Amino acid sequence: MESSANRQVDFTVDHSKVKPAEFEGQFFPETCDEPVGSRMRKIKDLEIRPADVMLCSYPKSGTHWVYRMMDMLLHGAAEYRREAAPEHTFLDMQRIQNLPHVPSPRILITHLPFGRLPRQVEDKRTKIVYVYRNPKAVLVSFYFQMKDSTVFERSGMKDMTVDRFAELFLSPQVLFGGLFNHWDEVATFQSDHPDVPVFRISYEEMSLNPTESVERLAVFLGVACSKELCREIAQSCDFRQQKETEETLDAMNKELKFYRKGDMNDWKNHLTVAISERLDAIVRERADHCLFSAKYAS
């Protein structure tokens, strides 16, 4: 049942009015409600509760997938809770003044680089779950969401090729400072704040070993969860099941094209050899100093 607090608050975000805006040399989504700079300052000053957990990722890395796993674990049931829509606690888009109305435990979601997380995350040693994915798969998934979503019709993406999008993906103008900068900030944060617990999990791990991934996540969250419940959660969060359920619960998920194929190797059907080799070179150059890059170096 939806909480009385949630019924009194409008969590709806008009995605058709979201646009990229620059703040301190990087680009972030700006909603119709307030300038991006104001939102960034509010996020930095956000009051963090003891039970809060941060869910961080670069876009198209499996955020919704992990969110549902976490929500089911924290509430002890393999059930989709309509009142627990990811958009309610999505810092990048949701009205910050709405967040106090969300009951604990809150899963605070963001694509922001670690350097822009709420200040109290460091002070209160808030648990952070970080989801990452093969850069090639991220690029292709990002491309198709931008190209196919009706919300982005005005963005000029409809006729953009994968090669052209790849240039944007690797440029400073891409949202959230770019994937590789995102990864670098995770490493810097962990080095500077070793006492803040960070759980890293990849899209590929979840795809190949879903039940084991849920079990590991439960341990990190400090949740007592039977093997049977972990299996049930993994099955409930299967890509096809989740796509159908999420698009039924919220039509905006279908309009925004959050879910496409869920195939971790689909990038092979779309990237040119030149772009693939360019990404390989970037990953190899970074492999010695970036854990995430090392995972995908060939």
Side-chain angles (χ1 to χ4, degrees), residues 2 6 68 79-86 88 248-250:
E2 186 171 343
N6 280 11
R68 285 301 181 185
E79 299 173 352
Y80 284 80
R81 301 188 309 125
R82 182 180 290 273
E83 69 274 21
H88 291 183
T248 299
L249 290 177
D250 186 353

Side-chain angles (χ1 to χ4, degrees), residues 121-272:
V121 167
E122 303 169 13
D123 301 335
K124 296 186 177 181
R125 298 182 177 88
T126 303
K127 290 182 177 180
I128 302 174
V129 175
Y130 188 75
V131 192
Y132 61 101
R133 187 182 186 184
N134 186 333
K136 297 178 183 180
V138 172
L139 190 161
V140 169
S141 183
F142 210 162
Y143 167 73
F144 277 106
Q145 182 179 6
M146 296 292 284
K147 184 176 186 295
D148 295 343
S149 171
T150 57
V151 170
F152 292 102
E153 284 181 353
R154 296 182 294 111
S155 67
M157 292 287 181
K158 285 295 179 182
D159 298 320
M160 183 174 283
T161 64
V162 174
D163 281 14
R164 176 66 187 92
F165 184 78
E167 294 298 326
L168 176 62
F169 183 79
L170 295 171
S171 77
Q173 283 73 44
V174 71
L175 286 172
F176 304 105
L179 173 63
F180 295 112
N181 175 72
H182 214 272
W183 285 2
D184 285 342
E185 291 212 20
V186 177
T188 299
F189 181 92
Q190 289 198 262
S191 176
D192 293 344
H193 307 285
D195 54 341
V196 178
V198 179
F199 176 83
R200 301 183 298 260
I201 190 166
S202 72
Y203 189 99
E204 292 78 22
E205 289 175 80
M206 295 187 294
S207 297
L208 296 172
N209 301 295
T211 300
E212 180 183 325
S213 297
V214 174
E215 291 173 347
R216 291 178 53 224
L217 191 54
V219 171
F220 177 76
L221 295 175
V223 173
C225 183
S226 67
K227 286 187 175 293
E228 180 57 32
L229 180 55
C230 286
R231 277 195 296 271
E232 291 176 3
I233 290 174
Q235 290 169 359
S236 294
C237 294
D238 170 78
F239 180 82
R240 293 184 184 279
Q241 174 65 45
Q242 183 161 351
K243 181 178 188 292
E244 180 180 344
T245 303
E246 294 281 14
E247 291 181 352
T248 299
L249 290 177
D250 186 353
M252 183 58 71
N253 286 325
K254 189 170 186 177
E255 185 178 355
L256 288 171
K257 302 293 183 182
F258 276 130
Y259 302 91
R260 197 170 68 89
K261 289 186 175 181
D263 182 350
M264 61 183 179
N265 291 313
D266 184 56
W267 61 266
K268 296 178 181 179
N269 298 318
H270 303 284
L271 292 187
T272 62

Side-chain angles (χ1 to χ4, degrees), residues 3 13 66 85 97 233 236 278 296:
S3 71
V13 175
V66 179
Q97 61 266 30
I233 290 174
S236 294
R278 184 177 175 187
Y296 300 109

Side-chain angles (χ1 to χ4, degrees), residues 45-76:
D45 295 335
L46 182 66
E47 180 73 26
I48 298 296
R49 301 174 188 166
D52 286 344
V53 182
M54 296 293 305
L55 172 55
C56 305
S57 67
Y58 193 74
K60 312 312 296 177
S61 297
T63 316
H64 281 69
W65 190 3
V66 179
Y67 172 84
R68 285 301 181 185
M69 289 181 182
M70 292 172 65
D71 186 66
M72 291 177 186
L73 283 170
L74 291 171
H75 289 86

